[in-house]
Amino acid sequence: MAKYKVVLTKETWPAAMERIEQHCEVKVWKEAEPIPRTLLLEWLKDAEGLFSTGDVKVDEDLLANAHQLRVVAQSSVGYDNIDIDACTRRGIPFGNTPGVLVETTADLAFALLLGAARRIHECWDFVKSGKWESTNNIPFGVDLYGKTLGIVGMGDIGCAVARRAKACGLNIIYYNRTRRMDDQLLEARYVDFRDLLQESDFIITLVPLSNQSRGMFGAKEFAQMKPSAYFINAARGSIVNTEALYEALKSKQIAYAALDVTDPEPLAGDNPLLSLPNILITPHIGSATYETRNRMAHLAADNLLAGLGRQALPTCVNPTVNYPQGA
Ligand code: 8YV
């Protein structure tokens, strides 16, 4: 049987790649930097499937150029880079990877909260620099127990963060487009956005990026937060006005920030955020564990193959433990 022509904008995990190659003739971009737009458009001219990791913009321009495209599969839960309406107008199904990364991403968001609260990275620098030998002036942190965590965006990941917060004795409030009917089970109180900003000791944002959420944390919002507030972003960088965040941290309008996502990404080495003492940044590692990325790749492969008619319905395949060591 003839193989389907598919384009991968990045290499994916071996077990998932093996499944794709059983049915598809693949073109894979293997360089560290994103695939050049002109080359992507060239490759897509006769492609029937596109497998992305969220690193390329799938818009009218791209789709108008890809006349044979039958499916777009993306190994990520967020899909702000995809023009869903344009895909729908062309009858092209789009599949992302919800569900399989919830606990992993919640772990990272909560790790950022704990890491910032207890200044773990500063403590490691203190030990690594040898200062411990000459001073007891260790970096002091703040307690979580009995304080208030405000979660902005109470979806699956937000609920998983709430479960972790409850175990640490935090009082939980949240802001969402709509109130969750199960929030009593989570012991989480629904509040409006302004009240959350004013009441929270810690704020974690997990909202999807949209025209409504873009820039939702700016100078006005940081000004409403407590001077002792910790701000954590594990959603998308452009939900935050970066210059406003920089000013809020520099002037100590808020105490600390911990970011897994930034705007722009990746951050250049001379970005002013990196000069601040009261910030912790990780390089978009929310779902970056071997097990979870492998699961995501399998689910994205399911979506791709389903879109090409080679699978009945996308199902999450329990990954075989067949991922590259130290990748
Ligand atoms: C990475 C994410 O973008 O799933 C998302 O939306 O932001 C992260 O998981 C993705 O995993 C890259 O492959």
Side-chain angles (χ1 to χ4, degrees):
M1 184 177 287
K3 289 198 170 186
Y4 297 98
K5 293 185 176 181
V6 302
V7 170
L8 283 82
T9 61
K10 263 186 190 164
E11 289 185 277
T12 191
W13 294 70
M17 193 65 190
E18 204 176 300
R19 293 175 55 217
I20 293 170
E21 288 181 317
Q22 280 171 3
H23 304 278
C24 303
E25 177 193 320
V26 302
K27 283 180 180 171
V28 193
W29 177 252
K30 298 187 176 180
E31 306 306 324
E33 67 278 1
I35 182 170
R37 186 79 174 177
T38 49
L39 179 63
L40 177 59
L41 295 179
E42 180 59 33
W43 280 8
L44 283 173
K45 275 189 177 145
D46 61 351
E48 296 162 275
L50 172 60
F51 184 107
S52 157
T53 59
D55 52 333
V56 297
K57 199 160 181 55
V58 177
D59 55 14
E60 278 289 353
D61 169 53
L62 179 141
L63 295 170
N65 169 79
H67 301 291
Q68 311 301 322
L69 202 59
R70 298 168 57 186
V71 59
V72 178
Q74 183 158 289
S75 176
S76 73
V77 67
Y79 49 89
D80 44 277
N81 60 309
I82 307 284
D83 183 338
I84 296 292
D85 292 341
C87 291
T88 305
R89 281 195 295 275
R90 288 173 168 77
I92 298 174
F94 166 73
N96 65 338
T97 55
V100 294
L101 48 62
V102 168
E103 299 304 328
T104 302
T105 307
D107 281 348
L108 189 274
F110 209 71
L112 286 176
L113 189 159
L114 274 169
R118 300 305 299 272
R119 301 168 65 189
I120 298 293
H121 56 308
E122 293 179 63
C123 293
W124 169 230
D125 288 343
F126 178 82
V127 172
K128 202 167 42 174
S129 66
K131 286 181 188 157
W132 196 8
E133 288 179 275
S134 54
T135 169
N136 287 323
N137 186 19
I138 54 174
F140 272 57
V142 295
D143 278 336
L144 273 59
Y145 185 81
K147 296 211 177 128
T148 298
L149 168 65
I151 298 173
V152 181
M154 196 68 154
D156 292 344
I157 300 172
C159 290
V161 167
R163 286 194 294 276
R164 287 153 177 79
K166 202 171 119 189
C168 289
L170 281 158
N171 303 309
I172 305 159
I173 59 179
Y174 75 99
Y175 170 71
N176 223 29
R177 277 177 307 183
T178 54
R179 179 178 174 183
R180 291 187 65 99
M181 289 304 108
D182 60 353
D183 58 15
Q184 288 186 340
L185 293 175
L186 292 161
E187 296 178 40
R189 179 163 54 91
Y190 184 56
V191 298
D192 75 32
F193 187 47
R194 187 172 50 86
D195 290 344
L196 185 141
L197 296 177
Q198 292 172 352
E199 283 183 42
S200 299
D201 298 299
F202 305 96
I203 294 173
I204 295 185
T205 180
L206 293 158
V207 289
L209 176 60
S210 66
N211 292 335
Q212 293 71 36
S213 66
R214 191 180 300 278
M216 77 186 283
F217 288 93
K220 192 163 66 68
E221 288 68 31
F222 292 120
Q224 294 183 60
M225 294 178 191
K226 295 178 179 178
S228 58
Y230 284 62
F231 176 74
I232 291 100
N233 186 7
R236 284 287 184 271
S238 40
I239 282 169
V240 174
N241 176 313
T242 303
E243 290 69 33
L245 174 61
Y246 172 79
E247 291 307 330
L249 289 165
K250 188 163 177 59
S251 62
K252 297 202 182 341
Q253 190 172 52
I254 62 171
Y256 225 100
L259 313 174
D260 184 46
V261 288
T262 58
D263 178 23
E265 275 184 27
L267 273 190
D270 60 356
N271 188 290
L273 286 176
L274 303 184
S275 65
L276 293 168
N278 49 348
I279 195 166
L280 165 62
I281 299 176
T282 49
H284 203 150
I285 58 169
S287 61
T289 65
Y290 291 111
E291 302 91 334
T292 292
R293 286 293 175 89
N294 202 28
R295 273 198 303 272
M296 292 166 67
H298 272 296
L299 185 48
D302 286 328
N303 288 331
L304 180 77
L305 296 175
L308 295 170
R310 280 302 172 83
Q311 276 196 217
L313 277 175
T315 56
C316 178
V317 175
N318 285 329
T320 53
V321 182
N322 174 23
Y323 37 75
Q325 295 306 322

